[in-house]
Amino acid sequence: MNLLLKSLTLFVALLFTAELASSQVLNVERNRADGNSNGWTGELGTDFSLNKYNDRVIKVGGQANASYFSDRHSYLMLSSIDLVNVDGNSLVSNGYVHLRATFQREKTLSPEIFTQYQYNNNLGLQNRALGGAGVRYTFLSRDHLRGHFSTGLMYEYEDWGLNNEVSVQNELLKSTSNLVIRGDLNEQTSLTMIGYYQARPDRFFKPRATSENQLNIRMSRSLTFRVNFTMTYDVEPVIDVPKLTYELKNGIVLSF
Protein backbone atom coordinates (compact mmCIF):
# COMPACT_ATOMS: atom_id res chain seq x y z
CA MET A 1 0.00 0.00 0.00
CA ASN A 2 2.86 2.39 0.82
CA LEU A 3 4.45 1.64 -2.55
CA LEU A 4 1.16 2.32 -4.32
CA LEU A 5 0.70 5.59 -2.40
CA LYS A 6 4.22 6.70 -3.29
CA SER A 7 3.66 5.83 -6.96
CA LEU A 8 0.41 7.79 -7.04
CA THR A 9 2.03 10.77 -5.32
CA LEU A 10 4.92 10.76 -7.81
CA PHE A 11 2.57 10.59 -10.78
CA VAL A 12 0.34 13.42 -9.51
CA ALA A 13 3.47 15.52 -8.91
CA LEU A 14 4.50 14.91 -12.50
CA LEU A 15 1.07 15.98 -13.69
CA PHE A 16 1.37 19.40 -12.05
CA THR A 17 5.10 20.17 -12.20
CA ALA A 18 6.49 18.72 -15.44
CA GLU A 19 7.33 21.20 -18.21
CA LEU A 20 5.56 19.57 -21.18
CA ALA A 21 6.53 19.80 -24.81
CA SER A 22 0.92 16.46 -33.76
CA SER A 23 -2.33 16.03 -34.48
CA GLN A 24 -5.50 17.43 -32.90
CA VAL A 25 -6.26 14.04 -31.34
CA LEU A 26 -3.13 12.46 -29.88
CA ASN A 27 -3.35 8.72 -30.35
CA VAL A 28 -2.19 7.15 -27.09
CA GLU A 29 -3.44 3.65 -27.81
CA ARG A 30 -1.04 2.99 -30.68
CA ASN A 31 1.86 3.37 -28.19
CA ARG A 32 0.40 1.42 -25.29
CA ALA A 33 2.03 -1.96 -24.72
CA ASP A 34 -0.07 -4.80 -23.34
CA GLY A 35 2.43 -5.21 -20.51
CA ASN A 36 2.68 -8.96 -20.12
CA SER A 37 5.62 -8.57 -17.73
CA ASN A 38 6.57 -6.12 -15.01
CA GLY A 39 9.25 -3.46 -15.25
CA TRP A 40 10.31 -0.80 -17.76
CA THR A 41 9.83 -0.87 -21.52
CA GLY A 42 10.59 1.82 -24.08
CA GLU A 43 10.78 2.84 -27.72
CA LEU A 44 12.98 5.20 -29.72
CA GLY A 45 11.73 5.89 -33.22
CA THR A 46 12.36 7.93 -36.35
CA ASP A 47 10.03 8.32 -39.30
CA PHE A 48 9.25 10.03 -42.59
CA SER A 49 5.77 11.25 -43.49
CA LEU A 50 3.71 13.14 -46.07
CA ASN A 51 0.91 15.29 -44.61
CA LYS A 52 -2.08 17.06 -46.13
CA TYR A 53 -2.83 20.22 -44.14
CA ASN A 54 -3.20 23.64 -45.80
CA ASP A 55 0.00 22.82 -47.75
CA ARG A 56 1.81 19.67 -48.70
CA VAL A 57 4.30 18.99 -45.93
CA ILE A 58 7.30 16.66 -45.79
CA LYS A 59 8.20 15.71 -42.24
CA VAL A 60 11.01 13.88 -40.46
CA GLY A 61 10.25 13.07 -36.85
CA GLY A 62 11.54 11.45 -33.70
CA GLN A 63 9.76 9.89 -30.74
CA ALA A 64 10.72 8.63 -27.28
CA ASN A 65 8.23 6.57 -25.26
CA ALA A 66 8.59 4.86 -21.89
CA SER A 67 6.27 2.63 -19.83
CA TYR A 68 6.48 1.13 -16.35
CA PHE A 69 4.36 -1.89 -15.37
CA SER A 70 3.93 -2.88 -11.74
CA ASP A 71 1.96 -5.91 -10.55
CA ARG A 72 -1.33 -4.00 -10.78
CA HIS A 73 -0.76 -0.63 -12.47
CA SER A 74 0.94 0.93 -15.49
CA TYR A 75 2.48 4.35 -16.15
CA LEU A 76 3.07 5.76 -19.61
CA MET A 77 5.02 8.72 -21.03
CA LEU A 78 4.96 9.69 -24.72
CA SER A 79 6.95 12.48 -26.35
CA SER A 80 7.55 13.59 -29.93
CA ILE A 81 8.97 16.46 -31.95
CA ASP A 82 8.93 16.92 -35.73
CA LEU A 83 11.14 18.72 -38.26
CA VAL A 84 9.02 19.94 -41.18
CA ASN A 85 9.83 21.26 -44.65
CA VAL A 86 7.23 23.52 -46.29
CA ASP A 87 8.09 24.93 -49.73
CA GLY A 88 11.80 24.52 -49.04
CA ASN A 89 11.70 26.15 -45.59
CA SER A 90 12.55 23.99 -42.59
CA LEU A 91 11.16 24.59 -39.12
CA VAL A 92 10.20 22.71 -35.99
CA SER A 93 6.43 22.73 -36.20
CA ASN A 94 4.82 20.37 -33.72
CA GLY A 95 5.38 18.28 -30.65
CA TYR A 96 3.77 16.85 -27.53
CA VAL A 97 4.26 15.21 -24.15
CA HIS A 98 1.60 12.90 -22.68
CA LEU A 99 1.48 11.26 -19.22
CA ARG A 100 -1.01 8.55 -18.25
CA ALA A 101 -1.59 6.11 -15.38
CA THR A 102 -3.83 3.03 -15.61
CA PHE A 103 -4.83 1.36 -12.35
CA GLN A 104 -5.73 -2.33 -11.91
CA ARG A 105 -4.58 -2.83 -15.50
CA GLU A 106 -5.38 -6.55 -15.58
CA LYS A 107 -9.00 -6.01 -14.56
CA THR A 108 -11.89 -5.86 -17.03
CA LEU A 109 -12.53 -2.26 -15.88
CA SER A 110 -9.42 -0.12 -15.30
CA PRO A 111 -9.54 3.53 -14.10
CA GLU A 112 -7.18 6.00 -15.80
CA ILE A 113 -5.90 9.56 -15.31
CA PHE A 114 -3.96 11.56 -17.91
CA THR A 115 -2.52 14.94 -18.82
CA GLN A 116 -1.05 16.33 -22.04
CA TYR A 117 0.57 19.37 -23.67
CA GLN A 118 0.98 19.83 -27.44
CA TYR A 119 1.20 22.29 -30.31
CA ASN A 120 0.83 22.00 -34.10
CA ASN A 121 1.77 25.07 -36.12
CA ASN A 122 0.67 23.44 -39.38
CA LEU A 123 -2.92 23.56 -38.16
CA GLY A 124 -2.60 26.80 -36.21
CA LEU A 125 -2.72 25.07 -32.83
CA GLN A 126 -0.45 27.31 -30.75
CA ASN A 127 -1.01 25.60 -27.40
CA ARG A 128 -3.19 22.79 -26.13
CA ALA A 129 -3.21 21.57 -22.52
CA LEU A 130 -5.62 19.05 -21.04
CA GLY A 131 -6.19 16.74 -18.11
CA GLY A 132 -8.83 14.16 -17.39
CA ALA A 133 -9.89 10.76 -16.16
CA GLY A 134 -11.81 7.78 -17.48
CA VAL A 135 -12.21 4.02 -17.46
CA ARG A 136 -10.97 1.34 -19.86
CA TYR A 137 -13.09 -1.76 -20.55
CA THR A 138 -11.37 -4.89 -21.89
CA PHE A 139 -13.96 -6.77 -23.94
CA LEU A 140 -11.61 -9.13 -25.79
CA SER A 141 -8.52 -10.86 -24.40
CA ARG A 142 -6.96 -13.74 -26.29
CA ASP A 143 -3.38 -14.78 -26.99
CA HIS A 144 -3.24 -13.06 -30.38
CA LEU A 145 -6.22 -10.72 -30.26
CA ARG A 146 -7.16 -7.97 -27.79
CA GLY A 147 -9.89 -5.34 -27.71
CA HIS A 148 -10.48 -2.30 -25.45
CA PHE A 149 -13.03 0.47 -25.17
CA SER A 150 -12.21 3.60 -23.14
CA THR A 151 -14.37 6.57 -22.21
CA GLY A 152 -14.00 9.55 -19.90
CA LEU A 153 -14.04 13.32 -19.45
CA MET A 154 -11.28 15.88 -19.87
CA TYR A 155 -10.80 19.62 -19.33
CA GLU A 156 -9.10 21.23 -22.31
CA TYR A 157 -7.47 24.62 -22.99
CA GLU A 158 -6.68 25.54 -26.60
CA ASP A 159 -5.03 28.57 -28.24
CA TRP A 160 -5.52 28.72 -32.03
CA GLY A 161 -4.17 31.18 -34.64
CA LEU A 162 -2.65 31.19 -38.13
CA ASN A 163 -0.01 33.73 -39.25
CA ASN A 164 -1.15 37.24 -38.20
CA GLU A 165 -4.76 36.29 -37.48
CA VAL A 166 -6.28 37.09 -34.12
CA SER A 167 -5.90 34.04 -31.88
CA VAL A 168 -8.86 32.15 -30.45
CA GLN A 169 -8.79 30.64 -26.96
CA ASN A 170 -11.14 27.91 -25.76
CA GLU A 171 -11.60 26.31 -22.34
CA LEU A 172 -13.94 23.33 -22.62
CA LEU A 173 -15.12 20.18 -20.91
CA LYS A 174 -15.14 17.29 -23.39
CA SER A 175 -15.93 13.62 -23.54
CA THR A 176 -13.24 11.37 -25.00
CA SER A 177 -13.72 7.77 -26.16
CA ASN A 178 -11.78 5.24 -28.21
CA LEU A 179 -12.12 1.71 -29.55
CA VAL A 180 -9.00 -0.43 -30.06
CA ILE A 181 -8.49 -3.81 -31.76
CA ARG A 182 -5.02 -5.39 -31.80
CA GLY A 183 -4.15 -8.65 -33.55
CA ASP A 184 -1.15 -10.71 -34.70
CA LEU A 185 -1.23 -11.61 -38.40
CA ASN A 186 1.78 -13.91 -37.94
CA GLU A 187 4.85 -14.16 -35.69
CA GLN A 188 6.48 -11.09 -37.27
CA THR A 189 3.48 -8.92 -38.18
CA SER A 190 0.76 -7.22 -36.12
CA LEU A 191 -2.08 -4.86 -36.96
CA THR A 192 -3.72 -2.24 -34.72
CA MET A 193 -6.98 -0.46 -35.62
CA ILE A 194 -8.12 2.49 -33.52
CA GLY A 195 -11.01 4.95 -33.54
CA TYR A 196 -11.17 8.13 -31.42
CA TYR A 197 -14.22 10.32 -30.73
CA GLN A 198 -13.89 13.61 -28.79
CA ALA A 199 -16.77 16.07 -28.37
CA ARG A 200 -18.35 18.61 -26.05
CA PRO A 201 -21.27 17.05 -24.12
CA ASP A 202 -23.63 19.75 -25.47
CA ARG A 203 -22.38 19.12 -29.06
CA PHE A 204 -21.88 15.39 -28.84
CA PHE A 205 -22.65 14.76 -32.52
CA LYS A 206 -20.18 17.41 -33.73
CA PRO A 207 -16.90 15.70 -32.80
CA ARG A 208 -13.27 15.51 -33.69
CA ALA A 209 -12.99 11.91 -34.89
CA THR A 210 -9.86 9.99 -35.81
CA SER A 211 -9.29 6.64 -37.49
CA GLU A 212 -5.87 5.03 -37.47
CA ASN A 213 -4.40 1.80 -38.83
CA GLN A 214 -0.91 0.72 -37.81
CA LEU A 215 1.08 -2.17 -39.29
CA ASN A 216 4.15 -3.41 -37.38
CA ILE A 217 6.67 -5.73 -39.05
CA ARG A 218 9.32 -7.06 -36.67
CA MET A 219 12.75 -7.08 -38.30
CA SER A 220 14.65 -8.34 -35.26
CA ARG A 221 14.18 -8.66 -31.52
CA SER A 222 14.67 -4.90 -31.07
CA LEU A 223 13.89 -3.36 -34.48
CA THR A 224 10.41 -2.91 -35.99
CA PHE A 225 9.32 -1.37 -39.27
CA ARG A 226 6.11 0.61 -38.68
CA VAL A 227 3.56 1.96 -41.18
CA ASN A 228 0.82 4.31 -39.96
CA PHE A 229 -2.15 5.90 -41.72
CA THR A 230 -4.22 8.39 -39.72
CA MET A 231 -7.29 10.36 -40.82
CA THR A 232 -8.98 13.04 -38.70
CA TYR A 233 -12.27 14.83 -39.30
CA ASP A 234 -13.22 17.92 -37.26
CA VAL A 235 -16.87 18.86 -37.77
CA GLU A 236 -16.37 22.39 -36.43
CA PRO A 237 -12.73 23.60 -36.71
CA VAL A 238 -11.94 26.45 -34.34
CA ILE A 239 -10.26 28.45 -37.13
CA ASP A 240 -10.24 28.27 -40.92
CA VAL A 241 -8.35 25.00 -41.44
CA PRO A 242 -9.45 21.88 -43.38
CA LYS A 243 -12.04 19.69 -41.69
CA LEU A 244 -10.35 16.56 -43.06
CA THR A 245 -6.63 15.94 -42.56
CA TYR A 246 -4.56 12.81 -43.04
CA GLU A 247 -1.07 11.52 -42.38
CA LEU A 248 0.86 8.61 -43.90
CA LYS A 249 3.93 7.75 -41.85
CA ASN A 250 6.53 5.00 -41.87
CA GLY A 251 9.66 4.52 -39.82
CA ILE A 252 11.98 2.34 -37.78
CA VAL A 253 11.36 1.74 -34.06
CA LEU A 254 13.98 0.57 -31.56
CA SER A 255 12.43 -1.24 -28.56
CA PHE A 256 14.17 -1.87 -25.24
Side-chain angles (χ1 to χ4, degrees):
M1 181 62 68
N2 289 334
L3 179 60
L4 173 58
L5 182 59
K6 290 179 180 179
S7 299
L8 287 173
T9 302
L10 174 61
F11 188 82
V12 171
L14 285 172
L15 294 186
F16 288 99
T17 64
E19 180 176 353
L20 304 176
S22 141
S23 62
Q24 296 179 60
V25 178
L26 172 61
N27 200 324
V28 176
E29 293 299 332
R30 73 180 183 185
N31 296 285
R32 189 203 299 267
D34 288 330
N36 295 321
S37 59
N38 295 347
W40 288 95
T41 64
E43 291 183 345
L44 295 174
T46 183
D47 53 68
F48 170 85
S49 66
L50 173 66
N51 304 328
K52 174 62 171 64
Y53 297 117
N54 289 319
D55 302 297
R56 180 168 293 182
V57 180
I58 298 174
K59 179 170 67 175
V60 178
Q63 304 85 38
N65 307 323
S67 304
Y68 178 75
F69 297 92
S70 69
D71 290 336
R72 292 184 295 174
H73 315 302
S74 65
Y75 307 92
L76 176 69
M77 185 200 73
L78 311 176
S79 65
S80 175
I81 192 168
D82 291 315
L83 177 65
V84 177
N85 184 283
V86 183
D87 295 331
N89 298 315
S90 296
L91 65 156
V92 175
S93 71
N94 63 73
Y96 64 77
V97 168
H98 182 99
L99 301 172
R100 177 174 296 247
T102 302
F103 307 109
Q104 305 296 332
R105 62 185 176 90
E106 297 294 342
K107 301 288 187 180
T108 301
L109 293 175
S110 304
E112 295 186 320
I113 58 174
F114 55 88
T115 188
Q116 175 183 315
Y117 175 81
Q118 70 183 116
Y119 62 97
N120 188 331
N121 292 337
N122 289 320
L123 286 173
L125 180 59
Q126 304 299 320
N127 293 287
R128 186 186 193 210
L130 61 87
V135 62
R136 185 172 72 150
Y137 170 59
T138 301
F139 61 86
L140 183 62
S141 181
R142 300 178 183 175
D143 289 340
H144 302 290
L145 187 64
R146 295 180 67 88
H148 307 283
F149 174 76
S150 299
T151 188
L153 291 174
M154 65 183 189
Y155 178 79
E156 176 185 75
Y157 168 79
E158 293 182 328
D159 182 4
W160 292 82
L162 281 173
N163 301 324
N164 295 322
E165 296 179 4
V166 176
S167 63
V168 178
Q169 289 86 33
N170 283 330
E171 294 186 46
L172 301 169
L173 179 69
K174 286 187 174 181
S175 66
T176 176
S177 302
N178 66 75
L179 178 68
V180 185
I181 302 291
R182 289 193 186 93
D184 295 330
L185 304 181
N186 55 47
E187 291 184 357
Q188 287 77 36
T189 309
S190 64
L191 178 66
T192 302
M193 297 176 291
I194 308 162
Y196 264 84
Y197 193 100
Q198 294 183 350
R200 292 167 49 182
D202 60 340
R203 293 174 178 256
F204 188 75
F205 296 105
K206 295 183 177 181
R208 288 176 187 163
T210 294
S211 173
E212 177 168 355
N213 296 299
Q214 181 188 95
L215 182 68
N216 291 308
I217 303 173
R218 184 169 293 279
M219 303 164 60
S220 68
R221 184 173 181 178
S222 300
L223 288 178
T224 299
F225 178 70
R226 177 170 294 173
V227 180
N228 240 75
F229 181 73
T230 305
M231 182 177 296
T232 297
Y233 186 78
D234 191 345
V235 176
E236 294 183 327
V238 177
I239 58 177
D240 187 19
V241 295
K243 292 184 178 181
L244 180 67
T245 62
Y246 64 82
E247 181 176 63
L248 177 62
K249 178 184 294 188
N250 61 77
I252 300 296
V253 177
L254 172 65
S255 302
F256 55 90

